[in-house]
Amino acid sequence: MSKLSLAVDIAGLKLRNPVMNAAGVLGMTPLLLKHVYDSGAGAVITKSLGPHPRAGHPNPTLVRVEGGALNAMGLPNPGAEYFVDEIKELKKMGVPVIASFFGGSVQEFVDVAYILTKAGADALELNASCPNVAEEMGMLAADASSLEKVTVAVKDETSLPVFVKLSPNVTNIKIIAKAAEWGGADAITAVNTLKAMSIDINFKRPILANTTGGMSGPAVKPVALRCVWEVAQAVDIPVIGSGGVTTGGDAIEFMLAGASAVEVGTAVMTHGVEVYGQINDGIREYLKENGFSSVKEVVGLAQDS
Ligand code: DHB
């Protein structure tokens, strides 16, 4: 039997396979992230870390909806400094770590990037797109020139690959992706959650304490796929797909659209942490059935037809 390779190289970051957890999902402690890695992920992504500890929004912060879930956690995290030892611990266990981070100003993004680089992360994911916090922090990804500026500043501070995670809640994602690339981004993650809401008809109130939240899960997959398709056309750097991936077939769809790897979040709620291994099994099956020897051969194939 021919040997199938799932290994990928994203801007110099070499991974055993192209499947990762999405930031915020099981990313709070090193042991949970180690569990994600042991369950088959190629790398792990931390919870988004900021310059100071943040409590996040009051409950309810999560609600299941048809086709997925809404969440408005409000970027709760212990602060980047606190996470330094957790990253070191993961590195000691041999786990490739991508540190997701955010700030409330260009300087804060730079400060956090410095701390996480020193901690020994393998790459950084700049969260420019949380839908649930004050505009200046969350929706950086709606403004091309601000995003370019912050990307330039972060790239000046770190020698690590920087992935910029974009929001689908914009008119033209190609322009935003291009701005991140001009700023020096090494890859684009497409996409974060879709701004959404849900109302309790008996209480006659929004269910989430924050009123709105970010929608994720199978129902957002076609939107995310369209975003990956457009971003892949706009930039010459790798794209990482995120949004509703549950099966190996879903991952392959994103790869055919131009993604070099995928992030999986909400599927953990429905399928458990084993989903990472299951997605890799599905990818392997597809490669075998379609006569590919490496997952890299699939990337962007649908764009060529
Ligand atoms: C939160 C952050 C995100 O980036 C997202 O997509 C959804 C929720 C949050 O912490 O509220």
Side-chain angles (χ1 to χ4, degrees), residues 222-233:
V223 177
L225 194 63
R226 181 270 301 169
C227 290
V228 165
W229 177 272
E230 290 184 348
V231 170
Q233 286 182 349

Side-chain angles (χ1 to χ4, degrees), residues 167-248:
S167 171
N169 308 316
V170 296
T171 310
N172 188 338
I173 199 168
K174 291 186 179 195
I175 291 172
I176 310 288
K178 205 71 206 157
E181 185 181 38
W182 280 328
D186 298 281
I188 302 288
T189 304
V191 282
N192 212 311
T193 50
L194 277 76
K195 196 168 178 176
M197 72 179 292
S198 181
I199 290 177
D200 185 311
I201 61 169
N202 296 314
F203 284 110
K204 305 170 188 71
R205 295 273 185 282
I207 294 178
L208 294 171
N210 188 54
T211 304
T212 59
M215 167 108 190
S216 59
V220 311
K221 195 187 80 176
V223 177
L225 194 63
R226 181 270 301 169
C227 290
V228 165
W229 177 272
E230 290 184 348
V231 170
Q233 286 182 349
V235 300
D236 294 318
I237 50 179
V239 183
I240 300 163
S242 176
V245 173
T246 308
T247 65

Side-chain angles (χ1 to χ4, degrees), residues 23-24 47-48 54 56-57 61 70-77 100 102 127-133 138 165 168-169 191-194 210 212-216:
K47 174 85 194 134
S48 285
R54 267 177 76 93
H57 295 317
T61 53
L70 308 183
N71 87 85
M73 302 295 173
L75 295 170
N77 80 99
S100 171
F102 68 94
N127 183 1
S129 45
C130 171
N132 302 325
V133 294
K165 188 162 187 177
N169 308 316
V191 282
N192 212 311
T193 50
L194 277 76
N210 188 54
T212 59
M215 167 108 190
S216 59

Side-chain angles (χ1 to χ4, degrees), residues 239-301:
V239 183
I240 300 163
S242 176
V245 173
T246 308
T247 65
D250 295 336
I252 291 291
E253 252 190 279
F254 276 91
M255 293 185 143
L256 288 168
S260 298
V262 294
E263 296 179 5
V264 179
T266 307
V268 172
M269 284 198 246
T270 46
H271 291 65
V273 77
E274 298 75 26
V275 76
Y276 298 104
Q278 291 162 0
I279 291 171
N280 278 316
D281 289 345
I283 293 173
R284 214 172 278 113
E285 194 69 17
Y286 177 86
L287 296 182
K288 197 161 55 179
E289 278 173 11
N290 289 271
F292 295 113
S293 57
S294 162
V295 73
K296 294 179 198 166
E297 294 164 37
V298 177
V299 177
L301 267 189

